[in-house]
Amino acid sequence: MTKQTNKPTAIFLTVILTLSLMLANFTCIYAEESPEFTDVNREVSTTAGYLLNALNTTEISPYNYKEVILILRSGIDSGDLADRYCNLLESNITDGRLLINGSENITMYAAYLIVLALHGSNALDVNGNNMAEAFDQLLASYATAEELNTAVENPYYYDFIVPAVFAYEDYMEHSDTIKTLLQNAIMINYKQTETGCGIDYWGISGDNNAAVLPALNYFSDHKEIADAIADAITFNESLIMEDGGSRFDNGEYSTTSNANSTGAALYLYSLLKNENNRISYNALLNFKSILTPGAYTYFGEDNMFATVDALKGLIAYKMLMDNEGFPFDVTNEVTRILSPEQPEETSGQDETTTADSFSETDSTADTTVSEINTDTTTAIPDKKTPETTTASNSSAKTGENGSMTVILLTLCILSTGAVMLTRKSVLTGK
């Protein structure tokens, strides 16, 4: 009687164990799967639409440049937003200089140049004014990195300034000198302490690193800068919470994740092609407003700053997935506007489908890039995400899941064997 009683019990327990292992592995597969591009694009469009509606209901300001750039980058129909913003800044040009509140502002120049490129406008001729030249002259007026850093005021602004310089470098007389100044100016803000490392702006935080390291990455061919970025990334990774979101710092001011820091982390990890971008994306969705489509929240309340940070990260992640570079880099746009014959040749070759034409297109692209970057002393970060990144993201959908499937099948086989052995043991009484 004992044998007959233990037989179904043993088999039942073995089956339960097998199913539990299968469920655990299925959950693991689901958690590791990358989001679909269409889903990310939908999040970008909805969030950009929310910000566009907000800008359309108020008088636009020169300082709305971040929202304007992100909306233009999102790909949604932005109506007359670019015209409104460009006309506003154009009305502030006096004697060839962009004056905001009576003075030149480095960041405003950079933002204007980026918006002009996204709008398809020639920055070298804005009603006869060369904005790239004015930007060049202003930056070149600073003799030292310290002077430039003081003039920039907030290191977060380098995220716009550096991409603008690299995009227009062929049209700026002092670009080489300016790039060296920028590199050194950014590093003035870099600190390393016993409790963390990275950009020090009123302290060290994950948000500081997320805002400034992308600009510093333009100079990562220098080993000391590459090492500094790697150290700072390690610090940021330590701020990832159990829910996948990121908190502001190491606990001095924050103990939980939030949309602002998670969106900023998504931006950083996407630009640096760090695998944590997927984790940050999935976590960021937890901060979506349940009341307002497109809005993101801070402590449960719809918050404009959180929404802007979220959109910045979402667009960077979308562009990474679509192999398009990143939000504030307008090198390709400037090339199309100021050297229109190059895109025409490339597009013509892209229409062909033979293997030879593909290799020819790649060769042309390489030549074009090398011509654009002539006489530079520092390596420009990849403007188009390399194929290895795409492969990495696709492996998250196929390769990793394939491995998990093998593990799952192996567990099933082993579990079946366990059932048979249990049955045998029960029948024999051993």
Side-chain angles (χ1 to χ4, degrees), residues 55-92:
L55 287 184
N56 284 340
T57 58
T58 185
E59 184 176 352
I60 198 167
S61 161
Y63 299 100
N64 287 133
Y65 56 84
K66 183 187 291 186
E67 295 95 321
V68 172
I69 292 172
L70 292 176
I71 291 169
L72 295 179
R73 266 293 185 216
S74 71
I76 68 170
D77 182 359
S78 58
D80 65 348
L81 177 66
D83 284 329
R84 290 165 56 203
Y85 188 78
C86 288
N87 290 339
L88 173 62
L89 264 64
E90 184 178 341
S91 67
N92 284 274

mmCIF file of all heavy atoms in Angstrom, residues 55-92:
data_model
loop_
_atom_site.group_PDB
_atom_site.id
_atom_site.type_symbol
_atom_site.label_atom_id
_atom_site.label_comp_id
_atom_site.label_asym_id
_atom_site.label_seq_id
_atom_site.Cartn_x
_atom_site.Cartn_y
_atom_site.Cartn_z
ATOM 1 N N LEU A 55 3.337 73.188 -26.343
ATOM 2 C CA LEU A 55 3.983 74.354 -26.957
ATOM 3 C C LEU A 55 3.000 75.143 -27.818
ATOM 4 O O LEU A 55 3.142 76.369 -27.961
ATOM 5 C CB LEU A 55 5.177 73.918 -27.805
ATOM 6 C CG LEU A 55 6.437 73.458 -27.064
ATOM 7 C CD1 LEU A 55 7.559 73.166 -28.053
ATOM 8 C CD2 LEU A 55 6.902 74.503 -26.057
ATOM 9 N N ASN A 56 2.031 74.452 -28.391
ATOM 10 C CA ASN A 56 1.070 75.133 -29.258
ATOM 11 C C ASN A 56 0.051 75.957 -28.478
ATOM 12 O O ASN A 56 -0.663 76.781 -29.058
ATOM 13 C CB ASN A 56 0.326 74.113 -30.130
ATOM 14 C CG ASN A 56 1.196 73.605 -31.274
ATOM 15 O OD1 ASN A 56 2.175 74.241 -31.652
ATOM 16 N ND2 ASN A 56 0.837 72.453 -31.820
ATOM 17 N N THR A 57 -0.013 75.718 -27.194
ATOM 18 C CA THR A 57 -0.997 76.441 -26.376
ATOM 19 C C THR A 57 -0.373 77.612 -25.632
ATOM 20 O O THR A 57 -1.040 78.247 -24.805
ATOM 21 C CB THR A 57 -1.648 75.489 -25.340
ATOM 22 O OG1 THR A 57 -0.626 74.918 -24.510
ATOM 23 C CG2 THR A 57 -2.407 74.376 -26.044
ATOM 24 N N THR A 58 0.902 77.899 -25.917
ATOM 25 C CA THR A 58 1.561 79.002 -25.228
ATOM 26 C C THR A 58 2.491 79.722 -26.191
ATOM 27 O O THR A 58 2.791 79.216 -27.284
ATOM 28 C CB THR A 58 2.373 78.483 -24.022
ATOM 29 O OG1 THR A 58 2.912 79.599 -23.296
ATOM 30 C CG2 THR A 58 3.521 77.602 -24.485
ATOM 31 N N GLU A 59 2.960 80.874 -25.815
ATOM 32 C CA GLU A 59 3.904 81.609 -26.643
ATOM 33 C C GLU A 59 5.275 80.960 -26.518
ATOM 34 O O GLU A 59 5.779 80.780 -25.410
ATOM 35 C CB GLU A 59 3.979 83.068 -26.192
ATOM 36 C CG GLU A 59 4.872 83.931 -27.072
ATOM 37 C CD GLU A 59 4.857 85.392 -26.661
ATOM 38 O OE1 GLU A 59 4.027 85.741 -25.785
ATOM 39 O OE2 GLU A 59 5.659 86.170 -27.190
ATOM 40 N N ILE A 60 5.857 80.617 -27.653
ATOM 41 C CA ILE A 60 7.128 79.910 -27.634
ATOM 42 C C ILE A 60 8.255 80.832 -27.200
ATOM 43 O O ILE A 60 8.237 82.044 -27.477
ATOM 44 C CB ILE A 60 7.420 79.295 -29.028
ATOM 45 C CG1 ILE A 60 8.477 78.207 -28.911
ATOM 46 C CG2 ILE A 60 7.849 80.361 -30.012
ATOM 47 C CD1 ILE A 60 8.594 77.354 -30.152
ATOM 48 N N SER A 61 9.236 80.266 -26.498
ATOM 49 C CA SER A 61 10.364 81.031 -25.977
ATOM 50 C C SER A 61 11.665 80.529 -26.605
ATOM 51 O O SER A 61 11.751 79.364 -27.001
ATOM 52 C CB SER A 61 10.431 80.855 -24.452
ATOM 53 O OG SER A 61 11.715 81.195 -23.958
ATOM 54 N N PRO A 62 12.679 81.391 -26.698
ATOM 55 C CA PRO A 62 13.976 80.922 -27.200
ATOM 56 C C PRO A 62 14.511 79.747 -26.379
ATOM 57 O O PRO A 62 15.263 78.914 -26.897
ATOM 58 C CB PRO A 62 14.878 82.148 -27.061
ATOM 59 C CG PRO A 62 13.956 83.307 -27.132
ATOM 60 C CD PRO A 62 12.710 82.848 -26.428
ATOM 61 N N TYR A 63 14.113 79.678 -25.115
ATOM 62 C CA TYR A 63 14.635 78.639 -24.233
ATOM 63 C C TYR A 63 13.876 77.312 -24.342
ATOM 64 O O TYR A 63 14.163 76.370 -23.608
ATOM 65 C CB TYR A 63 14.620 79.139 -22.797
ATOM 66 C CG TYR A 63 15.479 80.373 -22.603
ATOM 67 C CD1 TYR A 63 14.899 81.641 -22.553
ATOM 68 C CD2 TYR A 63 16.866 80.267 -22.533
ATOM 69 C CE1 TYR A 63 15.686 82.777 -22.402
ATOM 70 C CE2 TYR A 63 17.661 81.395 -22.384
ATOM 71 C CZ TYR A 63 17.065 82.652 -22.330
ATOM 72 O OH TYR A 63 17.851 83.770 -22.198
ATOM 73 N N ASN A 64 12.939 77.241 -25.273
ATOM 74 C CA ASN A 64 12.235 75.980 -25.542
ATOM 75 C C ASN A 64 12.989 75.116 -26.541
ATOM 76 O O ASN A 64 12.414 74.198 -27.136
ATOM 77 C CB ASN A 64 10.821 76.250 -26.084
ATOM 78 C CG ASN A 64 9.860 76.759 -25.039
ATOM 79 O OD1 ASN A 64 9.139 77.741 -25.265
ATOM 80 N ND2 ASN A 64 9.828 76.087 -23.893
ATOM 81 N N TYR A 65 14.277 75.394 -26.726
ATOM 82 C CA TYR A 65 15.029 74.705 -27.776
ATOM 83 C C TYR A 65 15.069 73.190 -27.595
ATOM 84 O O TYR A 65 14.999 72.435 -28.573
ATOM 85 C CB TYR A 65 16.455 75.255 -27.875
ATOM 86 C CG TYR A 65 17.269 75.207 -26.606
ATOM 87 C CD1 TYR A 65 17.954 74.061 -26.240
ATOM 88 C CD2 TYR A 65 17.372 76.329 -25.783
ATOM 89 C CE1 TYR A 65 18.712 74.018 -25.078
ATOM 90 C CE2 TYR A 65 18.114 76.298 -24.624
ATOM 91 C CZ TYR A 65 18.786 75.134 -24.271
ATOM 92 O OH TYR A 65 19.535 75.098 -23.122
ATOM 93 N N LYS A 66 15.155 72.703 -26.358
ATOM 94 C CA LYS A 66 15.228 71.248 -26.164
ATOM 95 C C LYS A 66 13.939 70.581 -26.639
ATOM 96 O O LYS A 66 13.977 69.571 -27.363
ATOM 97 C CB LYS A 66 15.482 70.907 -24.702
ATOM 98 C CG LYS A 66 15.643 69.403 -24.457
ATOM 99 C CD LYS A 66 15.719 69.051 -22.978
ATOM 100 C CE LYS A 66 16.992 69.537 -22.352
ATOM 101 N NZ LYS A 66 17.118 69.055 -20.935
ATOM 102 N N GLU A 67 12.803 71.133 -26.231
ATOM 103 C CA GLU A 67 11.531 70.566 -26.646
ATOM 104 C C GLU A 67 11.374 70.618 -28.163
ATOM 105 O O GLU A 67 10.917 69.660 -28.784
ATOM 106 C CB GLU A 67 10.364 71.310 -25.993
ATOM 107 C CG GLU A 67 10.308 71.169 -24.481
ATOM 108 C CD GLU A 67 10.998 72.331 -23.771
ATOM 109 O OE1 GLU A 67 12.054 72.793 -24.250
ATOM 110 O OE2 GLU A 67 10.478 72.783 -22.732
ATOM 111 N N VAL A 68 11.776 71.754 -28.758
ATOM 112 C CA VAL A 68 11.652 71.909 -30.212
ATOM 113 C C VAL A 68 12.496 70.862 -30.932
ATOM 114 O O VAL A 68 12.024 70.194 -31.864
ATOM 115 C CB VAL A 68 12.063 73.329 -30.642
ATOM 116 C CG1 VAL A 68 12.132 73.428 -32.169
ATOM 117 C CG2 VAL A 68 11.087 74.364 -30.097
ATOM 118 N N ILE A 69 13.735 70.699 -30.515
ATOM 119 C CA ILE A 69 14.628 69.735 -31.167
ATOM 120 C C ILE A 69 14.078 68.320 -31.038
ATOM 121 O O ILE A 69 14.045 67.555 -32.010
ATOM 122 C CB ILE A 69 16.044 69.815 -30.558
ATOM 123 C CG1 ILE A 69 16.704 71.143 -30.921
ATOM 124 C CG2 ILE A 69 16.910 68.654 -31.059
ATOM 125 C CD1 ILE A 69 18.023 71.388 -30.215
ATOM 126 N N LEU A 70 13.628 67.959 -29.842
ATOM 127 C CA LEU A 70 13.125 66.605 -29.632
ATOM 128 C C LEU A 70 11.859 66.344 -30.444
ATOM 129 O O LEU A 70 11.689 65.253 -31.008
ATOM 130 C CB LEU A 70 12.863 66.364 -28.149
ATOM 131 C CG LEU A 70 14.109 66.320 -27.254
ATOM 132 C CD1 LEU A 70 13.706 66.181 -25.788
ATOM 133 C CD2 LEU A 70 15.033 65.174 -27.659
ATOM 134 N N ILE A 71 10.974 67.323 -30.512
ATOM 135 C CA ILE A 71 9.753 67.151 -31.304
ATOM 136 C C ILE A 71 10.093 66.978 -32.782
ATOM 137 O O ILE A 71 9.535 66.113 -33.468
ATOM 138 C CB ILE A 71 8.799 68.335 -31.093
ATOM 139 C CG1 ILE A 71 8.244 68.310 -29.664
ATOM 140 C CG2 ILE A 71 7.656 68.297 -32.105
ATOM 141 C CD1 ILE A 71 7.496 69.568 -29.274
ATOM 142 N N LEU A 72 11.017 67.790 -33.281
ATOM 143 C CA LEU A 72 11.431 67.659 -34.677
ATOM 144 C C LEU A 72 12.080 66.309 -34.933
ATOM 145 O O LEU A 72 11.891 65.705 -35.991
ATOM 146 C CB LEU A 72 12.396 68.790 -35.053
ATOM 147 C CG LEU A 72 11.828 70.219 -35.049
ATOM 148 C CD1 LEU A 72 12.919 71.224 -35.415
ATOM 149 C CD2 LEU A 72 10.648 70.336 -36.007
ATOM 150 N N ARG A 73 12.848 65.840 -33.968
ATOM 151 C CA ARG A 73 13.525 64.547 -34.096
ATOM 152 C C ARG A 73 12.556 63.369 -34.010
ATOM 153 O O ARG A 73 12.836 62.283 -34.522
ATOM 154 C CB ARG A 73 14.575 64.393 -32.993
ATOM 155 C CG ARG A 73 15.966 64.801 -33.365
ATOM 156 C CD ARG A 73 16.539 63.867 -34.401
ATOM 157 N NE ARG A 73 17.930 64.205 -34.674
ATOM 158 C CZ ARG A 73 18.475 64.104 -35.873
ATOM 159 N NH1 ARG A 73 17.751 63.712 -36.903
ATOM 160 N NH2 ARG A 73 19.749 64.396 -36.056
ATOM 161 N N SER A 74 11.413 63.574 -33.382
ATOM 162 C CA SER A 74 10.490 62.464 -33.153
ATOM 163 C C SER A 74 9.891 61.915 -34.437
ATOM 164 O O SER A 74 9.481 60.755 -34.497
ATOM 165 C CB SER A 74 9.371 62.915 -32.224
ATOM 166 O OG SER A 74 8.492 63.819 -32.889
ATOM 167 N N GLY A 75 9.806 62.758 -35.446
ATOM 168 C CA GLY A 75 9.236 62.323 -36.710
ATOM 169 C C GLY A 75 7.752 62.608 -36.862
ATOM 170 O O GLY A 75 7.171 62.310 -37.907
ATOM 171 N N ILE A 76 7.115 63.187 -35.840
ATOM 172 C CA ILE A 76 5.687 63.494 -35.966
ATOM 173 C C ILE A 76 5.505 64.757 -36.799
ATOM 174 O O ILE A 76 6.452 65.507 -37.036
ATOM 175 C CB ILE A 76 5.025 63.682 -34.590
ATOM 176 C CG1 ILE A 76 5.553 64.951 -33.901
ATOM 177 C CG2 ILE A 76 5.219 62.459 -33.717
ATOM 178 C CD1 ILE A 76 4.784 65.333 -32.643
ATOM 179 N N ASP A 77 4.299 64.990 -37.243
ATOM 180 C CA ASP A 77 3.977 66.222 -37.954
ATOM 181 C C ASP A 77 3.958 67.359 -36.931
ATOM 182 O O ASP A 77 3.056 67.448 -36.099
ATOM 183 C CB ASP A 77 2.611 66.084 -38.630
ATOM 184 C CG ASP A 77 2.231 67.330 -39.426
ATOM 185 O OD1 ASP A 77 3.018 68.300 -39.440
ATOM 186 O OD2 ASP A 77 1.128 67.331 -40.015
ATOM 187 N N SER A 78 4.967 68.208 -36.999
ATOM 188 C CA SER A 78 5.102 69.275 -36.005
ATOM 189 C C SER A 78 4.499 70.589 -36.471
ATOM 190 O O SER A 78 4.664 71.624 -35.812
ATOM 191 C CB SER A 78 6.579 69.492 -35.658
ATOM 192 O OG SER A 78 7.323 69.808 -36.823
ATOM 193 N N GLY A 79 3.812 70.567 -37.613
ATOM 194 C CA GLY A 79 3.161 71.783 -38.096
ATOM 195 C C GLY A 79 4.151 72.908 -38.359
ATOM 196 O O GLY A 79 5.182 72.696 -38.998
ATOM 197 N N ASP A 80 3.842 74.087 -37.837
ATOM 198 C CA ASP A 80 4.699 75.250 -38.069
ATOM 199 C C ASP A 80 5.664 75.504 -36.916
ATOM 200 O O ASP A 80 6.205 76.599 -36.784
ATOM 201 C CB ASP A 80 3.846 76.495 -38.297
ATOM 202 C CG ASP A 80 3.037 76.881 -37.063
ATOM 203 O OD1 ASP A 80 2.957 76.063 -36.109
ATOM 204 O OD2 ASP A 80 2.483 78.003 -37.045
ATOM 205 N N LEU A 81 5.896 74.483 -36.077
ATOM 206 C CA LEU A 81 6.749 74.665 -34.895
ATOM 207 C C LEU A 81 8.138 75.172 -35.271
ATOM 208 O O LEU A 81 8.637 76.140 -34.676
ATOM 209 C CB LEU A 81 6.870 73.348 -34.125
ATOM 210 C CG LEU A 81 7.796 73.379 -32.903
ATOM 211 C CD1 LEU A 81 7.231 74.297 -31.828
ATOM 212 C CD2 LEU A 81 8.009 71.967 -32.346
ATOM 213 N N ALA A 82 8.778 74.535 -36.242
ATOM 214 C CA ALA A 82 10.135 74.937 -36.627
ATOM 215 C C ALA A 82 10.147 76.360 -37.174
ATOM 216 O O ALA A 82 11.058 77.146 -36.874
ATOM 217 C CB ALA A 82 10.705 73.957 -37.656
ATOM 218 N N ASP A 83 9.143 76.699 -37.973
ATOM 219 C CA ASP A 83 9.058 78.063 -38.508
ATOM 220 C C ASP A 83 8.913 79.080 -37.387
ATOM 221 O O ASP A 83 9.574 80.123 -37.385
ATOM 222 C CB ASP A 83 7.863 78.187 -39.458
ATOM 223 C CG ASP A 83 8.135 77.555 -40.813
ATOM 224 O OD1 ASP A 83 9.291 77.564 -41.245
ATOM 225 O OD2 ASP A 83 7.179 77.046 -41.424
ATOM 226 N N ARG A 84 8.048 78.778 -36.439
ATOM 227 C CA ARG A 84 7.827 79.695 -35.319
ATOM 228 C C ARG A 84 9.114 79.922 -34.536
ATOM 229 O O ARG A 84 9.448 81.070 -34.188
ATOM 230 C CB ARG A 84 6.746 79.145 -34.388
ATOM 231 C CG ARG A 84 5.348 79.167 -34.955
ATOM 232 C CD ARG A 84 4.417 78.282 -34.138
ATOM 233 N NE ARG A 84 4.410 78.649 -32.726
ATOM 234 C CZ ARG A 84 4.062 77.817 -31.745
ATOM 235 N NH1 ARG A 84 3.726 76.560 -32.020
ATOM 236 N NH2 ARG A 84 4.063 78.234 -30.491
ATOM 237 N N TYR A 85 9.820 78.837 -34.260
ATOM 238 C CA TYR A 85 11.030 78.966 -33.453
ATOM 239 C C TYR A 85 12.138 79.693 -34.230
ATOM 240 O O TYR A 85 12.806 80.585 -33.689
ATOM 241 C CB TYR A 85 11.519 77.594 -32.999
ATOM 242 C CG TYR A 85 12.654 77.677 -31.999
ATOM 243 C CD1 TYR A 85 12.414 77.980 -30.663
ATOM 244 C CD2 TYR A 85 13.974 77.487 -32.404
ATOM 245 C CE1 TYR A 85 13.452 78.082 -29.749
ATOM 246 C CE2 TYR A 85 15.024 77.577 -31.492
ATOM 247 C CZ TYR A 85 14.751 77.883 -30.173
ATOM 248 O OH TYR A 85 15.789 77.998 -29.275
ATOM 249 N N CYS A 86 12.333 79.303 -35.484
ATOM 250 C CA CYS A 86 13.389 79.941 -36.285
ATOM 251 C C CYS A 86 13.096 81.423 -36.508
ATOM 252 O O CYS A 86 14.016 82.260 -36.475
ATOM 253 C CB CYS A 86 13.533 79.215 -37.621
ATOM 254 S SG CYS A 86 14.299 77.577 -37.494
ATOM 255 N N ASN A 87 11.848 81.749 -36.749
ATOM 256 C CA ASN A 87 11.489 83.164 -36.932
ATOM 257 C C ASN A 87 11.746 83.964 -35.657
ATOM 258 O O ASN A 87 12.187 85.119 -35.705
ATOM 259 C CB ASN A 87 10.023 83.286 -37.333
ATOM 260 C CG ASN A 87 9.764 82.772 -38.737
ATOM 261 O OD1 ASN A 87 10.684 82.677 -39.548
ATOM 262 N ND2 ASN A 87 8.512 82.429 -39.026
ATOM 263 N N LEU A 88 11.463 83.337 -34.520
ATOM 264 C CA LEU A 88 11.695 84.012 -33.246
ATOM 265 C C LEU A 88 13.182 84.324 -33.062
ATOM 266 O O LEU A 88 13.546 85.448 -32.697
ATOM 267 C CB LEU A 88 11.203 83.139 -32.099
ATOM 268 C CG LEU A 88 11.515 83.633 -30.678
ATOM 269 C CD1 LEU A 88 10.848 84.985 -30.420
ATOM 270 C CD2 LEU A 88 11.059 82.612 -29.644
ATOM 271 N N LEU A 89 14.031 83.326 -33.307
ATOM 272 C CA LEU A 89 15.463 83.561 -33.125
ATOM 273 C C LEU A 89 16.016 84.493 -34.189
ATOM 274 O O LEU A 89 16.906 85.303 -33.907
ATOM 275 C CB LEU A 89 16.232 82.228 -33.126
ATOM 276 C CG LEU A 89 16.508 81.688 -31.707
ATOM 277 C CD1 LEU A 89 15.206 81.363 -30.988
ATOM 278 C CD2 LEU A 89 17.408 80.463 -31.745
ATOM 279 N N GLU A 90 15.487 84.388 -35.398
ATOM 280 C CA GLU A 90 15.955 85.282 -36.450
ATOM 281 C C GLU A 90 15.671 86.741 -36.099
ATOM 282 O O GLU A 90 16.464 87.634 -36.428
ATOM 283 C CB GLU A 90 15.274 84.915 -37.773
ATOM 284 C CG GLU A 90 15.786 85.732 -38.957
ATOM 285 C CD GLU A 90 15.136 85.310 -40.255
ATOM 286 O OE1 GLU A 90 14.583 84.188 -40.323
ATOM 287 O OE2 GLU A 90 15.179 86.111 -41.216
ATOM 288 N N SER A 91 14.585 86.970 -35.404
ATOM 289 C CA SER A 91 14.253 88.341 -35.005
ATOM 290 C C SER A 91 15.211 88.869 -33.946
ATOM 291 O O SER A 91 15.207 90.072 -33.649
ATOM 292 C CB SER A 91 12.812 88.388 -34.463
ATOM 293 O OG SER A 91 12.706 87.675 -33.240
ATOM 294 N N ASN A 92 16.028 87.996 -33.391
ATOM 295 C CA ASN A 92 17.004 88.405 -32.376
ATOM 296 C C ASN A 92 18.423 88.543 -32.949
ATOM 297 O O ASN A 92 19.384 88.676 -32.194
ATOM 298 C CB ASN A 92 17.029 87.400 -31.228
ATOM 299 C CG ASN A 92 15.833 87.537 -30.302
ATOM 300 O OD1 ASN A 92 15.831 88.324 -29.367
ATOM 301 N ND2 ASN A 92 14.789 86.764 -30.586
#
